[in-house]
Amino acid sequence: AARQLSATYFGVEIDLSLGPSQTNTFAYANVLSALQEIANTAYTNGTPVYFSVVPIDTTKFEFRTYINQLGINHTYPNGNSPVILSMDNGTLAEASYTQDWSDEATYVLAGGQGEGDLRKWVLVEDTARSGRSIFGRREVFEDCRNEDDELDLGITSRANARLKEGRPIQRFVARLSGRGYGTEWAFGDKVSIDYQSQKTDAIITGIKVKVDTNK
């Protein structure tokens, strides 16, 4: 009972049932880590699911989920009032783009409960990446012995989440000028990026605001 938060101060949004169905076991796990694993598996299964704790008023918070992005889809050309951030229009500054393939995994071998020949095994593969080369098999092991599931759904879910973590990392870093913030785009919105003739979509997942008291 000491772990329970009063509904007066914390609530959970009604179940929208918009994400893919999955099975996870996470006894004794950190709640945030378990939620992130569920979100990763949903992304792997084709439906990005995001979550947040938002203030309802000055004394109450609510846990909420979102499909595809936290805010509004402003991507070009079919989004709601499309927004393109670029160096040319002055919305981006000090930009850089890198790719990191050092920790890539295209196969995940997940081991469940049991010993020796009796141990449960699940193998998942990202065929698009593994098929790029005859050397495309980059395999990692995921220990899922805490998953007690006759149908292996929990093991498969963990394996898929680990497979997503093994994708090559594309890093695009830029300083936003702030132009359009609060009027054209905001935290959580999905926007389009145009940098060095490369176009991609990105979600605004962080905002840093500096206040100068001398002005």
Side-chain angles (χ1 to χ4, degrees):
R3 291 175 172 173
Q4 297 180 15
L5 293 175
S6 169
T8 302
Y9 305 106
F10 187 85
V12 178
E13 183 183 38
I14 61 171
D15 188 355
L16 302 178
S17 300
L18 297 178
S21 177
Q22 57 180 290
T23 300
N24 294 71
T25 301
F26 42 85
Y28 305 107
N30 176 271
V31 174
L32 176 60
S33 297
L35 292 173
Q36 290 171 333
E37 182 178 304
I38 292 171
N40 284 340
T41 303
Y43 183 96
T44 301
N45 291 337
T47 305
V49 176
Y50 296 85
F51 60 87
S52 181
V53 175
V54 300
I56 301 301
D57 51 40
T58 57
T59 61
K60 185 173 182 178
F61 295 89
E62 184 176 69
F63 176 85
R64 294 180 178 178
T65 57
Y66 310 82
I67 299 298
N68 296 323
Q69 68 276 324
L70 285 168
I72 299 172
N73 180 11
H74 288 302
T75 57
Y76 180 85
N78 299 319
N80 184 6
S81 300
V83 173
I84 300 177
L85 304 182
S86 72
M87 303 285 285
D88 293 337
N89 63 21
T91 53
L92 293 181
E94 301 172 10
S96 66
Y97 174 77
T98 59
Q99 291 186 355
D100 183 358
W101 296 70
S102 58
D103 294 322
E104 184 190 21
T106 59
Y107 282 79
V108 175
L109 180 64
Q113 294 187 357
E115 299 292 337
D117 293 339
L118 298 179
R119 188 167 190 181
K120 292 184 177 181
W121 296 98
V122 170
L123 179 66
V124 296
E125 174 192 5
D126 186 326
T127 55
R129 289 190 288 117
S130 64
R132 287 176 175 170
S133 165
I134 60 172
F135 304 107
R137 189 182 184 98
R138 299 285 298 275
E139 189 174 294
V140 296
F141 170 72
E142 180 74 6
D143 190 350
C144 302
R145 68 184 66 199
N146 63 327
E147 295 287 344
D148 184 12
D149 185 359
E150 291 295 326
L151 299 178
D152 299 339
L153 298 178
I155 301 174
T156 302
S157 178
R158 287 271 299 277
N160 282 325
R162 179 63 181 86
L163 189 64
K164 176 180 179 292
E165 293 175 1
R167 294 178 305 160
I169 299 173
Q170 300 183 64
R171 292 187 179 93
F172 175 78
V173 181
R175 180 173 58 82
L176 303 179
S177 68
R179 181 182 301 176
Y181 178 68
T183 56
E184 298 178 7
W185 56 272
F187 173 80
D189 289 353
K190 193 173 186 178
V191 298
S192 293
I193 305 291
D194 187 348
Y195 178 69
Q196 293 185 344
S197 300
Q198 296 190 61
K199 295 179 174 59
T200 187
D201 297 331
I203 298 175
I204 306 297
T205 57
I207 295 292
K208 183 178 180 180
V209 178
K210 182 178 180 180
V211 178
D212 190 342
T213 58
N214 296 321
K215 295 182 180 180

